Amino acid sequence: MARRSTESQAQTQNGRGRRREAEGSESSEGETETVPTQAQTQGGGGLNEEATKAKGAQIARLALFMEYKRRPMNRSQMSGAVCPDQPRALNSFIASASAQLQSVFGMEIVEYRAKQKTGPGETQAQAQKGKGRAREDGEDDASSKNKGSSTYGLRSVLPQELIAMMNEPRSLPMVEHQEDEYAEDSDAPDSGALLRWDKGDGTVVGHIGLLGIRTVILCLVLCTGRVIQDDHLHALLRRLNLYRDTILPYGSSDQREPPMTLDKYLDQLAKYNYLEKKTTPGPGGAEEGALIEWRWGSREVEFSEKAAAAFIESIFEAGEEETDSEDEEEGTSNRRRRPERDREAESRAKKAKLKADIVKAAGGELTGSV
């Protein structure tokens, strides 16, 4: 009797075990009735590829709108607008949006870095040395890492060679038939170039007339240890006849903002994250005597430190070529009488020294891509 009871319990347990194994095998095979397959969930978050692409298109549209205004977008903003009920799928949607932007507009979505943290008068290189000493003393290393800011923007992925070709003027047959229309709009005839830099992009900081000034300012910040005091910056800009109250010239049919001074322009660069402005109040918290410092802003993904170094190198190379051409015309150049191999070696040595000098002036290795 007891033996039959034991056998019955064993059979019951075996039956339950087989049912659990069957359920487990169904679950391991993908649970086709309730869980999408891997092909259906490439975008994550339980959405199929088509739905993920649609969500990515919404983020791409938002990114283009914010980029036109030179405003960054944050994760909460994207999540609230696109996927308030699926926050964990946001990374998949951002990746889809970036892929679509690359294929259509030649742009990608990138995350900005967090704001730099330095004390008054302290350069980024000095701050990094201080963090290194703190790590040697046993402090937590997590705070020293360059964390993201959870804010995003767009960056062009077009090759520089392609952009140069798109800037070349080309005559278009239709331009001849549109001369009257351009005359009515008081705009110059279209040169045929694919990029119309003369029209600007709708914002002051993006206009071609001020792009060169912005580039020079960023290069000066880079070559002063990545942080420069306001008085020092203006002292350097005065050598270019740029004073605090100088009215900066720019104009565009797309631009409706009034002209601005150099001081106002610097504030605009800080507003649009090209620069970071740090103000330390004077004694007793007074505005008078306040210390103002400028450093690279979070939009360095658009114009990196390496790109600034390349710009500086191009200026020096252009100056050397102009000097060599003048000497050759006069027939007094010693370089001209030397072998071509020696001249190339000297040029490479000068370039290497210039790069080393820029890195030294910046206070550390350069970041970004050219």
Side-chain angles (χ1 to χ4, degrees):
M1 187 84 175
R3 187 184 303 114
R4 287 197 297 268
S5 176
T6 303
E7 291 176 354
S8 177
Q9 291 177 0
Q11 291 174 357
T12 302
Q13 292 295 333
N14 291 336
R16 291 176 179 175
R18 285 193 296 270
R19 284 196 298 271
R20 285 196 297 267
E21 290 177 1
E23 292 173 357
S25 63
E26 290 177 1
S27 176
S28 62
E29 291 174 0
E31 296 182 357
T32 55
E33 294 183 358
T34 58
V35 180
T37 63
Q38 183 179 1
Q40 293 173 326
T41 59
Q42 292 180 358
L47 295 178
N48 57 29
E49 184 178 359
E50 183 178 355
T52 300
K53 189 175 181 180
K55 294 289 186 179
Q58 295 180 31
I59 292 181
R61 181 181 180 183
L62 175 63
L64 290 171
F65 174 79
M66 299 299 289
E67 179 64 20
Y68 181 78
K69 296 296 184 181
R70 284 292 193 271
R71 298 287 190 181
M73 55 181 181
N74 54 51
R75 292 184 66 87
S76 61
Q77 185 179 19
M78 290 186 287
S79 179
V82 177
C83 54
D85 300 330
Q86 298 169 307
R88 294 185 178 181
L90 182 59
N91 287 338
S92 299
F93 300 152
I94 293 176
S96 176
S98 187
Q100 295 179 54
L101 289 168
Q102 287 188 43
S103 63
V104 179
F105 296 100
M107 308 180 80
E108 64 178 352
I109 298 178
V110 291
E111 184 177 9
Y112 293 162
R113 62 158 175 79
K115 287 189 176 182
Q116 303 289 350
K117 294 182 179 180
T118 57
E122 183 182 24
T123 65
Q124 291 299 320
Q126 293 169 342
Q128 292 297 330
K129 290 181 180 179
K131 292 176 181 178
R133 289 192 296 268
R135 290 193 296 271
E136 292 176 359
D137 295 338
E139 293 185 8
D140 186 11
D141 184 55
S143 60
S144 65
K145 294 181 180 179
N146 188 14
K147 298 180 180 179
S149 60
S150 296
T151 57
Y152 298 79
L154 294 183
R155 175 177 63 188
S156 173
V157 295
L158 297 178
Q160 295 295 327
E161 297 79 8
L162 177 60
I163 295 178
M165 293 178 62
M166 295 171 69
N167 287 330
E168 294 179 1
R170 291 182 175 85
S171 57
L172 298 177
M174 65 179 65
V175 173
E176 299 178 359
H177 304 288
Q178 295 179 353
E179 290 182 356
D180 295 339
E181 178 182 350
Y182 279 109
E184 294 177 0
D185 295 339
S186 67
D187 261 352
D190 193 340
S191 65
L194 295 178
L195 294 179
R196 286 287 306 270
W197 290 102
D198 58 295
K199 288 180 65 63
D201 65 354
T203 61
V204 173
V205 294
H207 192 268
I208 185 61
L210 302 179
L211 182 60
I213 298 177
R214 186 185 76 195
T215 301
V216 170
I217 291 173
L218 290 173
C219 289
L220 291 175
V221 174
L222 175 66
C223 292
T224 52
R226 297 184 173 96
V227 178
I228 187 171
Q229 293 188 13
D230 183 69
D231 292 340
H232 187 193
L233 174 62
H234 281 284
L236 295 174
L237 292 176
R238 280 196 294 270
R239 300 182 182 181
L240 302 175
N241 290 328
L242 290 173
Y243 298 86
R244 292 182 180 273
D245 56 352
T246 298
I247 301 296
L248 302 182
Y250 68 93
S252 168
S253 59
D254 296 338
Q255 182 54 254
R256 296 294 181 264
E257 299 182 24
M260 64 176 57
T261 62
L262 178 60
D263 265 341
K264 179 64 175 178
Y265 180 57
L266 287 170
D267 289 335
Q268 289 291 317
L269 291 179
K271 175 182 176 182
Y272 293 112
N273 301 298
Y274 288 101
L275 290 174
E276 288 181 11
K277 181 179 182 181
K278 182 176 179 61
T279 304
T280 303
E287 295 183 1
E288 185 176 355
L291 176 64
I292 300 177
E293 293 180 340
W294 302 94
R295 57 175 63 93
W296 276 65
S298 57
R299 290 191 72 95
E300 62 185 3
V301 296
E302 182 178 319
F303 183 74
S304 67
E305 295 177 353
K306 289 185 178 179
F311 173 76
I312 296 173
E313 293 169 12
S314 66
I315 293 178
F316 277 84
E317 290 176 4
E320 288 186 358
E321 292 177 359
E322 183 178 355
T323 301
D324 290 344
S325 62
E326 292 177 355
D327 291 341
E328 288 180 2
E329 290 178 359
E330 297 176 1
T332 59
S333 175
N334 293 327
R335 290 168 51 90
R336 188 181 174 207
R337 292 191 291 269
R338 286 183 295 167
E340 182 70 19
R341 182 176 58 185
D342 293 346
R343 285 185 285 172
E344 292 179 356
E346 181 183 358
S347 178
R348 288 194 298 269
K350 285 187 175 181
K351 289 181 180 179
K353 184 179 183 304
L354 178 59
K355 289 182 179 180
D357 290 341
I358 295 175
V359 172
K360 182 179 180 180
E365 293 297 325
L366 308 182
T367 61
S369 58
V370 180

